Amino acid sequence: MKKLDAHAHVGTFGGWANVAITAEELVQQMDACEIEKTVLCSTGSDDNFRTKEAMEAYPHRFWGLVYANPLEGEKSVQEIYDLVQNEVFSGIKLNPLRHAYVADAECLDPIMEAARELHIPVFIHSGHAPYALPWSIALLAERFPDVNIVMIHMGHGHGVYIDAALKMARRYSNLYLEMSGMPMNSKIKEAYETVGSDRIFFGTDAPFHHPTIEMQKVITSGLTEKEIEDVFYNNLQKFMAQYEK
């Protein structure tokens, strides 16, 4: 079954993670797993050029996200405008955990205002206290109701945070869920049925997880074949079509 991946990286993560993937390796992995196109970002706000290079090397295989750090202020905002307007990037990636800011902090306002003006989505890491909790992301969604926000990992590995991700997404219609790294296959079905059949996306978080691991969670979630096709492909295709240039 063909797939679209809502979350992957290109580059090297040192330290505790010690994982890496090149654009060539990622495309080979995508081909092996029938992943047609991937939402791609780099390893941080200092190497967005890697995403640009991957998009140039493999046209039509990636939607590029600008990895932004709101603590860099105007520099980060200007890079968003440049890469979206001049290099056909399609959205913004935020990681409150990595850069140590709370997900609804006021420092995000210029970035969210840029997203609103440029009509692009924001993909944001979730699932780790104290910075990236679903409740804080929900407050951000409430403050910017006209910006679509994808809650990456939908709470990640903590049961309380997973439950909160679903509850917050049910409350705010501009919140979408991506399921990489979230271990409970039953919550994919619950999200499909209670948040919205078009608001849950398949993702891998490559190179942290192999696609086959993430695929099994969807396949064993209890969804029908048609519903699995929505999670694997149709939902992200519909979502990203709003931002195609």
Side-chain angles (χ1 to χ4, degrees), residues 24-242:
E24 181 181 9
E25 291 168 339
L26 181 57
V27 169
Q28 290 173 352
Q29 183 173 273
M30 290 165 61
D31 289 343
C33 297
E34 298 183 287
I35 298 173
E36 188 175 284
K37 196 168 182 177
T38 290
V39 177
L40 185 69
C41 64
S42 60
T43 67
S45 59
D46 59 343
D47 64 350
N48 282 308
F49 69 90
R50 296 191 190 281
T51 304
K52 178 177 177 289
E53 290 174 347
M55 294 166 64
E56 291 172 346
Y58 299 95
H60 315 300
R61 299 306 302 272
F62 299 116
W63 291 287
L65 299 183
V66 185
Y67 206 133
N69 179 0
L71 301 180
E72 294 177 347
E74 185 63 20
K75 173 181 177 291
S76 188
V77 173
Q78 287 303 314
E79 186 171 31
I80 290 169
Y81 276 95
D82 177 47
L83 292 177
V84 171
Q85 293 178 324
N86 301 320
E87 303 294 345
V88 204
F89 278 58
S90 301
I92 297 168
K93 163 68 181 287
L94 297 173
N95 192 335
L97 177 67
R98 175 170 185 181
H99 293 128
Y101 58 86
V102 178
D104 65 323
E106 290 184 4
C107 66
L108 273 76
D109 286 4
I111 285 176
M112 297 300 293
E113 288 162 3
R116 179 168 56 200
E117 182 175 347
L118 292 166
H119 182 58
I120 54 174
V122 172
F123 289 65
I124 185 167
H125 178 96
S126 74
H128 293 92
Y131 302 113
L133 295 175
W135 301 279
S136 297
I137 296 170
L139 290 173
L140 184 68
E142 181 179 63
R143 198 156 80 242
F144 292 92
D146 45 0
V147 176
N148 284 332
I149 298 173
V150 179
M151 195 186 303
I152 298 169
H153 310 307
M154 56 186 288
H156 223 291
H158 195 303
V160 172
Y161 301 159
I162 297 166
D163 181 62
L166 269 70
K167 286 177 178 175
M168 294 302 99
R170 286 194 287 267
R171 182 173 298 183
Y172 298 103
S173 61
N174 60 324
L175 267 182
Y176 293 73
L177 301 173
E178 183 274 335
M179 43 65 65
S180 67
M182 191 282 300
M184 299 179 67
N185 58 351
S186 62
K187 293 301 179 180
I188 296 171
K189 185 174 191 286
E190 182 179 339
Y192 187 96
E193 293 177 343
T194 69
V195 173
S197 61
D198 61 347
R199 289 169 61 199
I200 171 72
F201 305 145
F202 168 73
T204 67
D205 197 17
F208 291 92
H209 313 137
H210 195 275
T212 54
I213 304 299
E214 299 299 335
M215 287 159 52
Q216 283 302 310
K217 291 187 295 189
V218 181
I219 293 167
T220 61
S221 64
L223 294 174
T224 67
E225 185 171 347
K226 168 59 173 66
E227 293 166 343
I228 288 172
E229 184 180 351
D230 287 340
V231 176
F232 272 153
Y233 192 92
N234 296 333
N235 291 350
L236 188 61
Q237 181 186 51
K238 175 184 174 182
F239 182 79
M240 293 306 296
Q242 305 171 77

